[in-house]
Amino acid sequence: MSARYGMVIDLDRCTGCGACMMACAAENNVPPVPRATPRTGLTPMLVRKVSNGGEGVDRREVFIPIMCMHCERETPCVGVCPQQAVEVDKATGIVMQMPQRCLGCRYCMTACPYHARYFNWWDPQWPAGMEKALNPGVAVRMRGVVEKCNLCHARLHSATQKAAATGKREINPADYVPACVEACPTAAIRFGNLADKHDPLSLEVRSPDTFRFLTRLGTEPKVYYKSKEAWVRALAESNSGSGVETKRG
Amino acid sequence: MKVTRRDLLVWSAGATAGLLFTPVPWKLLDDVSIWSQNWPWIPQPTRGPVDVKLSFCTLCPNGCGMRVRMAGGWPVGVAGAGCHPVSRGALCPLGFAAHQLNWHPRRLSRVCYRGNTSSWGEARVAFTKACGEGPIMIIDGHPGRAASSAFETFVQRRGSYRVVPGQETRALAPYGTWSGIPAAALGYDLENAGTIVSFGAPLLDGWGTPGRLTRLWAERAAGLADPQLHLIQVEPSFSRTAARAWQYVTIRAGGEGAVAEGVARVLLEEHLVPARGPMPSLTLVEVAEQAGVSTDAIRDLARTIVARPPVVAVADDNNPAIAALNVVLGAVGARGGIVRRSKHIRQDVCAEAAIRGMRAVLIDSTVPWDFVPQTDAEVFRFAAWDGGSTKADWLLPAPGFLEDLTDVPTAPTSGMETYAVAPSLAEAPTEVQSAAQFLSSIDPTLVTVDKVIHTRCSEIFRQRMGTLWGQDVTPVAKFVSVQKLEEELWKGAVWIGEPHHAGGLRCQLNDWPEAIGPARTSNASPPWLVPVLPSLASKLYQESGLRESPEGRSA
């Protein structure tokens, strides 16, 4: 049975601690490039701070973790890639990026409406000896390729191997949890299989408080957001920029 | 047959066209592309058998439970351990990249004497000489550890032992003064509170055991229109906690104590609490002037906080006015308030910045880098990372993250007594030594850390109290031998003592204490205790603009 892995990020629970960013980068062997700037850095998971523009007691803030939305229909990055380095995995619904095929043209970065793709400008380097502290499950990507969130695909691979070792075809859902979901101290990021009607996530995405960004583009992203605050839900169709206080903006 | 120039050209053109229909040029192009992107100097992760071990974070005294993924004998990933009863699977952001700290460019790897390379032998000779010439002082940042016992034993006949308490412990100091019970034996019973009023404490941003309150808030308050837990933040700046609080009260910087006085006055005047006590010295109008809020807002705040009891006020630092508010609220020694978690902790003396009359001062690596003693004594400072511009005479490289065996006593704000053991999981460089190892090399009769841990495990087994939280929850009384208990603790289990002694704490107010301004005027950044952040954290915070990095701060 095919899966459709997705997420619901409850913005009312996000405290903006950044644990998801840190866990994501550590899990995926993102190098700490000191030369990188907010525009050239590599942050597959990026938490943005957005305010409602009010002052004093009227001020409201929300922290929005932004990552690849894993668009399901007319996936913009897939269509523009001349190398077939991006594809939607039919078995999981994950938008996969294959760095070995990528030639670094960055069309996909231009096409992505969520700005969730990053170009690897430099050779990945760590202090001498630190390769011993890298995650052996994730290959280090080379300079000159585009990177993005792949829902910790290495963990899915491990879960599949574990299931296969016991003669099963289906993985145990508890064995496949992306690093950001595992790290979130308030359980604001929830993960599951949208194709499974018994999965709590399938019910949660139908909640009236749940929304997705830029749905008018018709790309059917599988990352949902949730908030009870109307001004936060109104951000869903904004083009970006308004009120965003991060440096990347 | 004569080969003409034309034949040669035709043959060349045909060969070129034909080659394009073979995979050769495309394969070559692909290989060149891959080859030019995969330089031999690009590091590859170490391969080896993958294993997961339970341990505890030692970057601060809170000791959050961790699951450490090991590959080839090295930690390669860190995640929270859900079986830890206090941190409950959550870690602060630094914890997730803490295993990379051991390779930080500012890692200390050699003994330095006044900026010049020296040796452990010379440091030993200098410290031994100092011990013979006059009194010495040992300053500890995480008191209550096995290493702390070794420090105290060493200085018994040679000088004095002092501690540098964290802000959370300092905030509990007034209750210690008024009740005679050491502040280190007190904690917050937040799990049973109905309303938490925070006066500038970054409750959702790394305060205490980071996972404890965030988990609690997420379960009982986040996103609920009528939450079971009311979190009220009184603060001058719009912090992360203020952004997520149920109610945010904006005040003038330094006005926290005045607001506490104003709220207490309203509670007493309007008989909103059963307590009787001295009336605060400030009138509501004076409070309003000092704190920059209206008198109506103070009255509203007082009425709001008592609407959902039990109520507890949390201060960012030592502020007797806020502690006095807790006395008025009846939160001291009560369920959902300030509780006594242990009967056995003794009073430690806090280190003053100005140290006089000492021949030498030894500062353990657990002391925050910001603590800089003003002294003429010879300073021996242990540190794993160089936080910049130290005034220490001797800078001695200490073990880094998970490189040294240590035990983890109760976290400063915890309402329950805990004990755990964090074994060494990473191989330490040959040139580092902990302060306890250094002292043992000077005095071979000194008790070692592993022996103190064994003694403490034996004591837990002998008392047969509490439970052990590991893969399973097992009462200590069910263990048949101390070896078995110790084995479980070394594997990452946590011992939890008996429930807190709420009734054993009483504070009586005779006079209203004077308010003290906060030590920290802005909580834009959480109080990281390590002198450097993991490089990954510096990068992500710089690129996202989410936090200010403490890099470059000087001590």
Side-chain angles (χ1 to χ4, degrees):
Chain A
M1 194 180 88
S2 293
R4 285 176 61 234
Y5 289 113
M7 279 187 186
V8 171
I9 303 178
D10 189 341
L11 300 180
D12 294 341
R13 281 174 174 241
C14 179
T15 62
C17 67
C20 52
M21 290 198 306
M22 202 72 69
C24 167
E27 169 75 16
N28 291 291
N29 293 336
V30 171
V33 184
R35 287 172 290 175
T37 66
R39 287 205 173 271
T40 58
L42 210 159
T43 45
M45 167 69 99
L46 178 74
V47 180
R48 294 180 172 214
K49 185 164 80 172
V50 181
S51 83
N52 67 344
E55 289 296 328
V57 291
D58 295 327
R59 186 180 169 93
R60 294 280 182 279
E61 270 181 7
V62 68
F63 300 94
I64 308 181
I66 297 284
M67 49 189 296
C68 173
M69 300 285 160
H70 296 278
C71 302
E72 193 155 27
R73 291 183 56 213
E74 307 293 337
T75 311
C77 51
V78 173
V80 299
C81 182
Q83 286 286 96
Q84 295 183 319
V86 192
E87 66 177 27
V88 182
D89 182 3
K90 289 192 176 76
T92 60
I94 299 173
V95 177
M96 299 294 297
Q97 175 80 25
M98 281 148 283
Q100 292 80 2
R101 290 189 195 168
C102 178
L103 57 78
C105 70
R106 288 174 277 160
Y107 284 171
C108 55
M109 289 176 67
T110 311
C112 178
Y114 303 101
H115 297 210
R117 295 178 149 267
Y118 300 90
F119 186 66
N120 211 339
W121 288 96
W122 294 282
D123 281 330
Q125 287 180 330
W126 284 270
M130 209 186 106
E131 63 275 4
K132 286 193 281 246
L134 299 182
N135 180 5
V138 177
V140 174
R141 280 79 57 201
M142 60 291 277
R143 165 183 52 81
V145 299
V146 172
E147 295 193 28
K148 67 167 205 80
C149 159
N150 61 4
L151 288 182
C152 290
H153 194 263
R155 292 187 175 207
L156 174 62
H157 190 62
S158 299
T160 311
Q161 282 186 323
K162 189 176 171 186
T166 54
K168 293 176 185 167
R169 291 176 65 86
E170 302 291 328
I171 64 163
N172 178 359
D175 289 336
Y176 175 38
V177 181
C180 56
V181 179
E182 186 181 59
C184 183
T186 60
I189 310 178
R190 298 186 277 274
F191 176 75
N193 180 3
L194 298 170
D196 181 358
K197 63 182 179 183
H198 302 297
D199 194 307
L201 208 75
S202 300
L203 300 174
E204 198 167 5
V205 297
R206 290 185 212 126
S207 156
D209 298 330
T210 307
F211 62 95
R212 290 180 287 182
F213 282 107
L214 302 177
T215 48
R216 65 174 184 270
L217 301 178
T219 58
E220 297 291 325
K222 290 194 286 295
V223 175
Y224 291 73
Y225 293 84
K226 187 177 177 185
S227 176
K228 288 189 185 303
E229 299 198 45
W231 75 271
V232 177
R233 291 199 299 273
L235 293 169
E237 293 302 321
S238 69
N239 280 321
S240 85
S242 173
V244 175
E245 293 188 0
T246 53
K247 290 179 183 175
R248 206 183 284 270
Chain B
M1 179 184 151
K2 188 181 176 186
V3 179
T4 63
R5 181 170 170 271
R6 183 182 181 82
D7 291 337
L8 204 61
L9 287 172
V10 168
W11 184 84
S12 300
T16 308
L19 199 64
L20 290 176
F21 288 96
T22 71
V24 174
W26 314 111
K27 181 64 184 164
L28 280 174
L29 191 65
D30 193 32
D31 283 355
V32 167
S33 155
I34 291 173
W35 173 77
S36 70
Q37 290 170 337
N38 286 292
W39 302 109
W41 58 82
I42 293 177
Q44 295 301 317
T46 305
R47 307 285 171 184
V50 176
D51 188 17
V52 175
K53 293 190 173 172
L54 289 176
S55 189
F56 303 90
C57 182
T58 51
L59 294 182
C60 79
N62 292 295
C64 299
M66 297 189 308
R67 279 187 298 117
V68 184
R69 199 160 24 138
M70 310 281 295
W74 291 92
V76 296
V78 174
C83 59
H84 193 288
V86 182
S87 62
R88 296 172 62 201
L91 293 177
C92 77
L94 296 198
F96 292 98
H99 61 293
Q100 300 185 353
L101 266 174
N102 292 344
W103 285 272
H104 195 281
R106 287 163 86 170
R107 177 78 199 267
L108 285 171
S109 60
R110 58 193 171 89
V111 176
C112 281
Y113 176 64
R114 295 181 179 165
N116 301 313
T117 302
S118 186
S119 68
W120 281 107
E122 288 179 79
R124 242 186 309 274
V125 168
F127 193 72
T128 309
K129 182 168 174 269
C131 289
E133 288 177 355
I136 60 157
M137 179 183 283
I138 296 183
I139 303 177
D140 190 2
H142 297 184
R145 295 170 300 145
S148 309
S149 294
F151 296 159
E152 289 178 74
T153 310
F154 187 86
V155 294
Q156 262 174 4
R157 289 185 304 277
R158 297 180 174 101
S160 48
Y161 170 77
R162 295 285 183 274
V163 302
V164 179
Q167 280 181 236
E168 293 99 339
T169 306
R170 288 204 297 269
L172 291 165
Y175 312 103
T177 309
W178 298 336
S179 68
I181 295 169
L186 307 178
Y188 296 91
D189 180 25
L190 299 175
E191 285 74 9
N192 290 308
T195 302
I196 301 174
V197 193
S198 159
F199 288 87
L203 294 186
L204 297 178
D205 198 16
W207 181 86
T209 307
R212 182 184 174 208
L213 199 76
T214 45
R215 289 277 199 232
L216 189 64
W217 172 80
E219 288 162 3
R220 294 177 56 202
L224 300 174
D226 182 25
Q228 300 165 324
L229 173 69
H230 287 181
L231 173 58
I232 300 174
Q233 187 74 4
V234 182
E235 196 174 7
S237 58
F238 194 75
S239 64
R240 279 184 188 75
T241 308
R244 297 266 69 93
W246 180 70
Q247 186 181 343
Y248 167 52
V249 180
T250 175
I251 59 166
R252 193 171 289 152
E256 288 88 348
V259 173
E261 283 200 38
V263 169
R265 176 173 278 279
V266 176
L267 294 175
L268 292 168
E269 281 179 353
E270 298 187 7
H271 305 293
L272 295 172
V273 288
R276 296 286 174 272
M279 196 61 83
S281 52
L282 293 178
T283 64
L284 273 192
V285 176
E286 288 170 331
V287 169
E289 278 178 14
Q290 284 190 23
V293 287
S294 68
T295 54
D296 287 343
I298 296 167
R299 285 186 197 283
D300 287 345
L301 179 62
R303 291 165 194 153
T304 306
I305 65 174
V306 292
R308 190 179 287 276
V311 188
V312 62
V314 181
D316 187 27
D317 209 327
N318 184 351
N319 196 329
I322 296 166
L325 173 62
N326 268 329
V327 176
V328 170
L329 285 165
V332 181
R335 182 181 162 84
I338 314 290
V339 294
R340 181 179 188 177
R341 63 177 181 230
S342 171
K343 287 184 175 175
H344 308 294
I345 294 177
R346 59 178 188 73
Q347 187 83 49
D348 284 322
V349 183
C350 296
E352 300 286 339
I355 298 172
R356 292 188 183 86
M358 290 291 155
R359 171 62 181 81
V361 175
L362 186 146
I363 303 175
D364 185 46
S365 59
T366 52
V367 174
W369 191 264
D370 292 346
F371 179 83
V372 182
Q374 307 299 315
T375 180
D376 295 332
E378 193 172 5
V379 177
F380 294 76
R381 181 157 208 155
F382 281 81
W385 302 278
D386 183 359
S389 64
T390 179
K391 292 175 184 166
D393 298 293
W394 291 87
L395 202 52
L396 306 165
F401 185 69
L402 296 177
E403 285 182 349
D404 190 28
L405 164 68
T406 184
D407 55 348
V408 184
T410 312
T413 57
S414 173
M416 58 176 93
E417 194 178 12
T418 58
Y419 185 72
V421 178
S424 165
L425 293 182
E427 193 182 318
T430 50
E431 57 270 22
V432 306
Q433 269 186 35
S434 68
Q437 288 167 333
F438 178 72
L439 296 178
S440 288
S441 68
I442 290 169
D443 181 357
T445 62
L446 195 66
V447 65
T448 55
V449 168
D450 55 339
K451 282 185 182 161
V452 177
I453 291 173
H454 176 70
T455 308
R456 291 181 176 183
C457 292
S458 304
E459 184 63 18
I460 290 171
F461 180 75
R462 191 185 62 76
Q463 291 187 355
R464 298 202 155 261
M465 280 167 33
T467 45
L468 214 63
W469 287 54
Q471 302 293 354
D472 305 301
V473 179
T474 316
V476 173
K478 286 199 174 174
F479 280 90
V480 292
S481 69
V482 66
Q483 287 78 13
K484 193 73 187 161
L485 176 85
E486 200 168 350
E487 197 178 294
E488 288 298 312
L489 282 167
W490 277 70
K491 279 188 199 164
V494 188
W495 173 79
I496 295 190
E498 295 295 311
H500 53 76
H501 312 282
L505 176 64
R506 287 281 175 272
C507 289
Q508 185 72 35
L509 270 186
N510 296 321
D511 298 303
W512 193 266
E514 206 165 306
I516 301 174
R520 189 153 51 99
T521 52
S522 164
N523 68 352
S525 292
W528 306 124
L529 293 183
V530 279
V532 295
L533 294 190
S535 304
L536 208 51
S538 303
K539 163 202 158 59
L540 292 172
Y541 288 147
Q542 187 242 324
E543 290 172 18
S544 67
L546 203 60
R547 286 180 196 272
E548 290 171 16
S549 165
E551 300 287 3
R553 69 185 180 187
S554 58

